[in-house]
Amino acid sequence: MTREETLKLVPDRVRHFINGQFVDSGPEWFEDFDPATHETLTKIASGDATIVEQAAQAAQQAFVQVWRDMPGRERARYLERIADGMVRDRVALASLETLDTGIPLKQTLGQIERAADNFRFFADMATRLTGESFPNPPHFQNYAVRQPIGTAGLITPWNTPLMLETWKIAPCLASGDTAVLKPAEWSPITADRLAHIIQEADLPPGVFNVVHGLGESAGAALVAHPAIPLISFTGETTTGQEIMRNGASQLKRFSMELGGKSPVMVFDDADFERAVDATLFGMFTLNGERCTAGSRVLVQDSVADRFEDALKSRIANIVVGDPFDLNTELGPLIHQDHWQRVKSYIDLAPSEGFRVAVGGERPSAFPRGNYLQATLLTGVTPGMRVAQEEIFGPVLAMLRFGDEEEAIRMANGVRYGLAAYVWTRDVSRANRVSQALEAGMVWLNSQNVRDLRTPFGGSKWSGIGREGGSHSFEFYTEWKTVHMALGTHPIPRVGHSG
Ligand code: NAD
């Protein structure tokens, strides 16, 4: 779809979706901007505690009256129908995602397929939710069951919004919980389109609700609401900290998927070309706005000059442009404020002492919009801010190491611990290094290829808990153990001495 065709799909107003209906919340609306032009795309309803109350009530009612006790197989059918709707609307969804986020259309098309797959995957899992049995003859047969908990507040970020939303909605609904989604304020359009798809799939009203709004109002009200015991959050580490503080007094259960500063470690025996390809793919697709981006490439001294030369020539070739152009590899960043933030890191070069080897500027062909050249920083050392802090844009920092020990020290020497990528042909080293890395996920000689069954999440400041496969059910369900006596086991008698 072209930009013009996509603009026609954007609703005049984006409303909340509560109890199966699209509703306004009052006079407060905020603007949603096109990253490529800064023009207003639409106005979004700005939710507050009142609308969160309505959504929470609807979700609670649906939980008790319909969803909690529905057999998994029936819930799965709804999820399949949602996936079918997404596949049917695939081009519209991808085009809207591109319009709202600036991520190149070629990439959002793939993302939507994956988002639909999240529903199919968890539909399948819903039919296979099992408990555990603990025979204890002759007196007991104990068992444990997983039970849905209630309503989950799902709070999501602006990067790859639909993918990340479905990653939470699908397991939440599959578990038998109901949901109130609070999409990110910078990219809420596809969440609205998804709500329409879900309405058409005839999901019982109240099972899935969307409250739009700002983090500090709508998001905070969700965290504060007593009828929402679960909060699954993806976003910045500092926001996660604030949310945990706010939910602590009610002992909410949190899943926290937070920031990253993931290393790509390239040893001198690596498959050089594949390591270069994967480094570039992992850093510069999705506009560099990827939580698991390998944003620090650590290269062994003996191959570092060659690797740097390869990166320089390839990065200078990355096609920055209109995200609707299928040749574009890097589109405009999400928002002007974010552009400024990313640029401010590049501008640290004189004070920190690194070099901007490639890029670093607005491309001259794009005087407006949030366009930024693909950027390589060289001469970076581990203590610099650009080696420590998440930039979350198309900016790759290159560091050099002498031996394995130094590489591990550098890789682990940040607060974050989300992902790590290791390139070496030495199988013992690959496994040794992955054991030593402080990261939730390690890819060996591989780009970031996901397996939905595996635990996804980060260590240290990158998160708490894991989602994915059965691990999602650990979050969305509560274990209940039932101890069942089979006969007349001995019961010590108290108060029987007289
Ligand atoms: P953000 O933390 O600014 O916002 C995320 C969401 O939280 C938004 O919906 C926002 O409205 C809401 N929010 C903000 N303040 C809140 C509050 N006080 N109470 C409740 N909700 C509040 O993050 P962002 O800038 O949208 O996203 C980028 C960040 O997300 C990066 O740090 C990135 O690494 C991280 N991320 C992590 C993963 C992961 O799986 N670990 C995946 C994607 C993105």
Side-chain angles (χ1 to χ4, degrees), residues 155-159 164 182-185 213-216 219-220 223 233-237 239 242-243 246 257-260 290-291 390 392 418 456 462:
I155 304 178
T156 48
W158 47 257
N159 68 314
L164 293 171
K182 209 301 279 170
E185 50 269 49
L214 307 180
E216 55 272 27
V223 175
F233 171 77
T234 300
E236 273 192 34
T237 298
T239 316
E242 159 108 11
I243 288 177
N246 293 342
E257 306 217 331
L258 308 175
R290 182 204 290 269
C291 57
E390 184 181 45
F392 218 56
L418 189 55
F456 182 94
S462 289

Short mmCIF file of all heavy atoms in Angstrom, two decimals, residues 155-159 164 182-185 213-216 219-220 223 233-237 239 242-243 246 257-260 290-291 390 392 418 456 462, ligand 1:
data_model
loop_
_atom_site.label_atom_id
_atom_site.label_comp_id
_atom_site.label_asym_id
_atom_site.label_seq_id
_atom_site.Cartn_x
_atom_site.Cartn_y
_atom_site.Cartn_z
N ILE A 155 1.03 -3.20 29.31
CA ILE A 155 1.54 -1.85 28.99
C ILE A 155 2.71 -2.02 28.03
O ILE A 155 3.70 -2.70 28.36
CB ILE A 155 1.97 -1.12 30.28
CG1 ILE A 155 0.79 -1.07 31.27
CG2 ILE A 155 2.46 0.28 29.96
CD1 ILE A 155 1.13 -0.41 32.60
N THR A 156 2.59 -1.41 26.86
CA THR A 156 3.54 -1.72 25.79
C THR A 156 4.23 -0.47 25.23
O THR A 156 3.71 0.63 25.33
CB THR A 156 2.80 -2.46 24.65
OG1 THR A 156 1.61 -1.74 24.34
CG2 THR A 156 2.44 -3.86 25.04
N PRO A 157 5.40 -0.67 24.62
CA PRO A 157 6.17 0.45 24.08
C PRO A 157 5.85 0.71 22.61
O PRO A 157 5.05 -0.01 22.01
CB PRO A 157 7.61 -0.03 24.23
CG PRO A 157 7.51 -1.50 23.99
CD PRO A 157 6.14 -1.94 24.48
N TRP A 158 6.51 1.71 22.05
CA TRP A 158 6.17 2.14 20.68
C TRP A 158 6.96 1.41 19.60
O TRP A 158 6.65 1.54 18.43
CB TRP A 158 6.38 3.65 20.53
CG TRP A 158 7.70 4.15 21.08
CD1 TRP A 158 7.88 4.79 22.28
CD2 TRP A 158 9.00 4.03 20.49
NE1 TRP A 158 9.21 5.07 22.47
CE2 TRP A 158 9.92 4.63 21.38
CE3 TRP A 158 9.48 3.49 19.30
CZ2 TRP A 158 11.28 4.69 21.12
CZ3 TRP A 158 10.84 3.55 19.04
CH2 TRP A 158 11.72 4.14 19.95
N ASN A 159 7.99 0.68 19.99
CA ASN A 159 8.76 -0.01 18.93
C ASN A 159 8.06 -1.34 18.63
O ASN A 159 7.67 -2.04 19.55
CB ASN A 159 10.21 -0.23 19.36
CG ASN A 159 10.35 -1.22 20.49
OD1 ASN A 159 9.63 -1.16 21.46
ND2 ASN A 159 11.26 -2.15 20.35
N LEU A 164 4.61 -6.63 19.85
CA LEU A 164 4.77 -6.73 21.30
C LEU A 164 3.43 -6.82 22.02
O LEU A 164 3.30 -7.48 23.04
CB LEU A 164 5.58 -5.54 21.82
CG LEU A 164 7.04 -5.55 21.34
CD1 LEU A 164 7.74 -4.25 21.68
CD2 LEU A 164 7.79 -6.71 21.95
N LYS A 182 -2.77 -1.03 27.36
CA LYS A 182 -2.47 0.41 27.27
C LYS A 182 -1.33 0.54 26.28
O LYS A 182 -0.16 0.36 26.62
CB LYS A 182 -2.07 0.95 28.64
CG LYS A 182 -2.38 2.41 28.88
CD LYS A 182 -1.73 3.38 27.91
CE LYS A 182 -0.30 3.70 28.27
NZ LYS A 182 0.40 4.46 27.21
N PRO A 183 -1.67 0.84 25.00
CA PRO A 183 -0.60 0.94 24.00
C PRO A 183 0.22 2.22 24.19
O PRO A 183 -0.24 3.17 24.82
CB PRO A 183 -1.36 1.01 22.66
CG PRO A 183 -2.80 0.80 22.98
CD PRO A 183 -3.00 1.11 24.43
N ALA A 184 1.40 2.23 23.61
CA ALA A 184 2.25 3.41 23.71
C ALA A 184 1.60 4.59 22.98
O ALA A 184 1.00 4.43 21.92
CB ALA A 184 3.62 3.11 23.11
N GLU A 185 1.76 5.76 23.53
CA GLU A 185 1.09 6.94 22.98
C GLU A 185 1.68 7.41 21.65
O GLU A 185 1.05 8.14 20.92
CB GLU A 185 1.09 8.09 24.00
CG GLU A 185 2.44 8.42 24.65
CD GLU A 185 2.67 7.65 25.95
OE1 GLU A 185 2.48 6.42 25.96
OE2 GLU A 185 3.07 8.30 26.95
N GLY A 213 -3.82 6.39 26.06
CA GLY A 213 -3.51 7.52 26.93
C GLY A 213 -2.04 7.58 27.26
O GLY A 213 -1.23 6.75 26.82
N LEU A 214 -1.70 8.59 28.04
CA LEU A 214 -0.31 8.82 28.41
C LEU A 214 0.09 7.88 29.55
O LEU A 214 -0.77 7.44 30.32
CB LEU A 214 -0.12 10.27 28.84
CG LEU A 214 -0.62 11.31 27.83
CD1 LEU A 214 -0.38 12.72 28.35
CD2 LEU A 214 0.06 11.12 26.46
N GLY A 215 1.37 7.63 29.65
CA GLY A 215 1.85 6.72 30.69
C GLY A 215 1.50 7.20 32.08
O GLY A 215 1.01 6.43 32.91
N GLU A 216 1.75 8.48 32.31
CA GLU A 216 1.59 8.98 33.69
C GLU A 216 0.13 9.09 34.11
O GLU A 216 -0.16 9.17 35.30
CB GLU A 216 2.31 10.31 33.90
CG GLU A 216 1.96 11.42 32.94
CD GLU A 216 2.80 11.41 31.65
OE1 GLU A 216 3.29 10.34 31.25
OE2 GLU A 216 2.93 12.48 31.04
N GLY A 219 -1.62 4.85 32.03
CA GLY A 219 -0.76 3.74 32.47
C GLY A 219 -0.72 3.65 33.98
O GLY A 219 -0.89 2.57 34.56
N ALA A 220 -0.52 4.79 34.62
CA ALA A 220 -0.42 4.80 36.09
C ALA A 220 -1.74 4.35 36.73
O ALA A 220 -1.74 3.64 37.74
CB ALA A 220 -0.02 6.19 36.58
N VAL A 223 -1.93 0.63 36.70
CA VAL A 223 -1.07 0.03 37.74
C VAL A 223 -1.70 0.20 39.12
O VAL A 223 -1.57 -0.67 39.98
CB VAL A 223 0.34 0.69 37.69
CG1 VAL A 223 1.21 0.20 38.83
CG2 VAL A 223 1.00 0.42 36.35
N PHE A 233 4.66 -5.53 31.58
CA PHE A 233 5.17 -4.26 31.07
C PHE A 233 6.36 -4.50 30.16
O PHE A 233 7.26 -5.29 30.48
CB PHE A 233 5.60 -3.37 32.24
CG PHE A 233 6.34 -2.13 31.80
CD1 PHE A 233 5.66 -1.05 31.26
CD2 PHE A 233 7.73 -2.05 31.91
CE1 PHE A 233 6.34 0.09 30.84
CE2 PHE A 233 8.42 -0.92 31.49
CZ PHE A 233 7.72 0.15 30.96
N THR A 234 6.39 -3.82 29.03
CA THR A 234 7.59 -3.76 28.20
C THR A 234 7.89 -2.29 27.96
O THR A 234 7.01 -1.54 27.53
CB THR A 234 7.39 -4.49 26.86
OG1 THR A 234 7.10 -5.85 27.14
CG2 THR A 234 8.64 -4.44 26.00
N GLY A 235 9.10 -1.90 28.25
CA GLY A 235 9.47 -0.51 28.05
C GLY A 235 10.80 -0.22 28.70
O GLY A 235 11.61 -1.13 28.94
N GLU A 236 11.01 1.04 28.99
CA GLU A 236 12.30 1.46 29.53
C GLU A 236 12.48 1.01 30.98
O GLU A 236 11.53 0.95 31.74
CB GLU A 236 12.38 2.98 29.51
CG GLU A 236 12.88 3.50 28.20
CD GLU A 236 13.23 4.97 28.27
OE1 GLU A 236 13.70 5.42 29.34
OE2 GLU A 236 13.02 5.65 27.27
N THR A 237 13.72 0.76 31.34
CA THR A 237 14.02 0.30 32.69
C THR A 237 13.53 1.29 33.74
O THR A 237 12.92 0.90 34.75
CB THR A 237 15.54 0.08 32.82
OG1 THR A 237 15.90 -0.95 31.87
CG2 THR A 237 15.94 -0.36 34.21
N THR A 239 11.05 3.37 33.59
CA THR A 239 9.59 3.29 33.71
C THR A 239 9.21 2.04 34.50
O THR A 239 8.31 2.07 35.34
CB THR A 239 8.93 3.24 32.32
OG1 THR A 239 9.55 4.21 31.47
CG2 THR A 239 7.45 3.51 32.39
N GLU A 242 9.55 2.62 38.13
CA GLU A 242 8.45 3.47 38.65
C GLU A 242 7.17 2.64 38.81
O GLU A 242 6.47 2.74 39.81
CB GLU A 242 8.25 4.62 37.64
CG GLU A 242 6.91 5.30 37.70
CD GLU A 242 7.01 6.69 38.29
OE1 GLU A 242 8.13 7.17 38.43
OE2 GLU A 242 5.95 7.26 38.60
N ILE A 243 6.90 1.80 37.81
CA ILE A 243 5.69 0.97 37.87
C ILE A 243 5.75 0.01 39.05
O ILE A 243 4.77 -0.18 39.76
CB ILE A 243 5.51 0.23 36.52
CG1 ILE A 243 5.08 1.25 35.45
CG2 ILE A 243 4.51 -0.91 36.62
CD1 ILE A 243 4.93 0.69 34.06
N ASN A 246 5.00 1.84 42.14
CA ASN A 246 3.59 2.21 42.27
C ASN A 246 2.70 1.01 42.57
O ASN A 246 1.65 1.15 43.18
CB ASN A 246 3.10 2.89 40.98
CG ASN A 246 3.76 4.24 40.78
OD1 ASN A 246 4.31 4.80 41.73
ND2 ASN A 246 3.72 4.76 39.58
N GLU A 257 9.82 -6.50 30.92
CA GLU A 257 10.73 -6.66 29.78
C GLU A 257 11.29 -5.28 29.47
O GLU A 257 10.58 -4.41 28.97
CB GLU A 257 9.99 -7.23 28.58
CG GLU A 257 9.25 -8.52 28.94
CD GLU A 257 9.25 -9.55 27.85
OE1 GLU A 257 9.31 -9.17 26.68
OE2 GLU A 257 9.19 -10.74 28.19
N LEU A 258 12.55 -5.07 29.80
CA LEU A 258 13.09 -3.70 29.86
C LEU A 258 14.19 -3.47 28.82
O LEU A 258 14.27 -4.19 27.83
CB LEU A 258 13.56 -3.43 31.29
CG LEU A 258 12.50 -3.74 32.37
CD1 LEU A 258 13.06 -3.57 33.77
CD2 LEU A 258 11.24 -2.90 32.19
N GLY A 259 15.00 -2.50 29.07
CA GLY A 259 15.98 -2.07 28.07
C GLY A 259 17.14 -3.03 27.90
O GLY A 259 17.28 -4.02 28.61
N GLY A 260 18.01 -2.70 26.94
CA GLY A 260 19.17 -3.55 26.69
C GLY A 260 20.33 -2.77 26.11
O GLY A 260 20.18 -1.63 25.64
N ARG A 290 15.16 -1.60 18.53
CA ARG A 290 14.89 -3.00 18.83
C ARG A 290 15.50 -3.29 20.20
O ARG A 290 16.67 -2.98 20.43
CB ARG A 290 15.57 -3.87 17.76
CG ARG A 290 15.35 -5.36 17.91
CD ARG A 290 16.45 -6.13 17.24
NE ARG A 290 16.47 -6.08 15.79
CZ ARG A 290 15.85 -6.95 14.98
NH1 ARG A 290 15.17 -7.94 15.48
NH2 ARG A 290 15.95 -6.83 13.67
N CYS A 291 14.72 -3.87 21.11
CA CYS A 291 15.25 -4.07 22.47
C CYS A 291 16.46 -4.99 22.46
O CYS A 291 17.38 -4.82 23.24
CB CYS A 291 14.16 -4.61 23.38
SG CYS A 291 13.44 -6.15 22.81
N GLU A 390 21.51 2.70 26.77
CA GLU A 390 20.72 2.29 25.60
C GLU A 390 20.40 3.53 24.76
O GLU A 390 19.77 4.47 25.25
CB GLU A 390 19.42 1.62 26.07
CG GLU A 390 18.59 1.08 24.93
CD GLU A 390 17.29 0.44 25.41
OE1 GLU A 390 16.61 1.02 26.26
OE2 GLU A 390 16.96 -0.65 24.90
N PHE A 392 18.93 3.24 21.50
CA PHE A 392 17.66 2.84 20.89
C PHE A 392 17.41 3.54 19.56
O PHE A 392 16.31 4.01 19.25
CB PHE A 392 16.49 3.11 21.86
CG PHE A 392 15.44 2.04 21.80
CD1 PHE A 392 15.75 0.72 22.02
CD2 PHE A 392 14.12 2.36 21.52
CE1 PHE A 392 14.78 -0.28 21.96
CE2 PHE A 392 13.14 1.38 21.44
CZ PHE A 392 13.48 0.06 21.67
N LEU A 418 20.14 -8.25 28.54
CA LEU A 418 19.03 -8.81 27.77
C LEU A 418 19.52 -9.93 26.84
O LEU A 418 19.27 -11.09 27.08
CB LEU A 418 18.32 -7.69 26.99
CG LEU A 418 17.01 -8.06 26.30
CD1 LEU A 418 16.01 -8.65 27.28
CD2 LEU A 418 16.40 -6.85 25.60
N PHE A 456 11.77 -15.98 27.06
CA PHE A 456 12.23 -14.70 26.54
C PHE A 456 12.27 -13.70 27.68
O PHE A 456 11.29 -13.52 28.40
CB PHE A 456 11.26 -14.19 25.46
CG PHE A 456 11.69 -12.88 24.83
CD1 PHE A 456 12.43 -12.88 23.66
CD2 PHE A 456 11.37 -11.68 25.43
CE1 PHE A 456 12.85 -11.67 23.10
CE2 PHE A 456 11.78 -10.47 24.87
CZ PHE A 456 12.52 -10.47 23.71
N SER A 462 17.61 -5.55 32.68
CA SER A 462 16.81 -5.77 31.47
C SER A 462 15.49 -6.46 31.75
O SER A 462 14.71 -6.67 30.83
CB SER A 462 17.61 -6.60 30.45
OG SER A 462 18.65 -5.81 29.92
P1 NAD B 1 8.51 3.71 27.96
O1 NAD B 1 8.98 3.06 29.21
O2 NAD B 1 8.70 5.17 27.81
O3 NAD B 1 6.96 3.44 27.73
C1 NAD B 1 6.41 2.14 27.67
C2 NAD B 1 4.96 2.19 28.06
O4 NAD B 1 4.85 2.56 29.44
C3 NAD B 1 4.13 3.22 27.30
O5 NAD B 1 2.87 2.67 26.99
C4 NAD B 1 3.99 4.36 28.30
O6 NAD B 1 2.83 5.13 28.09
C5 NAD B 1 3.89 3.59 29.60
N1 NAD B 1 4.21 4.35 30.81
C6 NAD B 1 5.06 5.38 30.95
N2 NAD B 1 5.08 5.80 32.23
C7 NAD B 1 4.23 5.02 32.93
C8 NAD B 1 3.81 4.96 34.28
N3 NAD B 1 4.28 5.79 35.20
N4 NAD B 1 2.91 4.02 34.64
C9 NAD B 1 2.43 3.15 33.74
N5 NAD B 1 2.77 3.17 32.44
C10 NAD B 1 3.67 4.09 32.02
O7 NAD B 1 9.24 2.91 26.80
P2 NAD B 1 9.26 3.26 25.24
O8 NAD B 1 10.15 4.46 25.06
O9 NAD B 1 7.88 3.27 24.73
O10 NAD B 1 9.96 1.96 24.62
C11 NAD B 1 11.33 1.80 24.46
C12 NAD B 1 11.93 0.95 25.56
O11 NAD B 1 11.30 -0.33 25.60
C13 NAD B 1 13.39 0.66 25.37
O12 NAD B 1 14.06 0.81 26.58
C14 NAD B 1 13.43 -0.80 24.93
O13 NAD B 1 14.62 -1.49 25.19
C15 NAD B 1 12.30 -1.34 25.72
N6 NAD B 1 11.84 -2.60 25.13
C16 NAD B 1 12.12 -3.78 25.78
C17 NAD B 1 11.73 -5.00 25.23
C18 NAD B 1 12.03 -6.31 25.92
O14 NAD B 1 11.44 -7.30 25.55
N7 NAD B 1 12.91 -6.36 26.90
C19 NAD B 1 11.04 -5.02 24.01
C20 NAD B 1 10.79 -3.79 23.38
C21 NAD B 1 11.19 -2.59 23.95
#
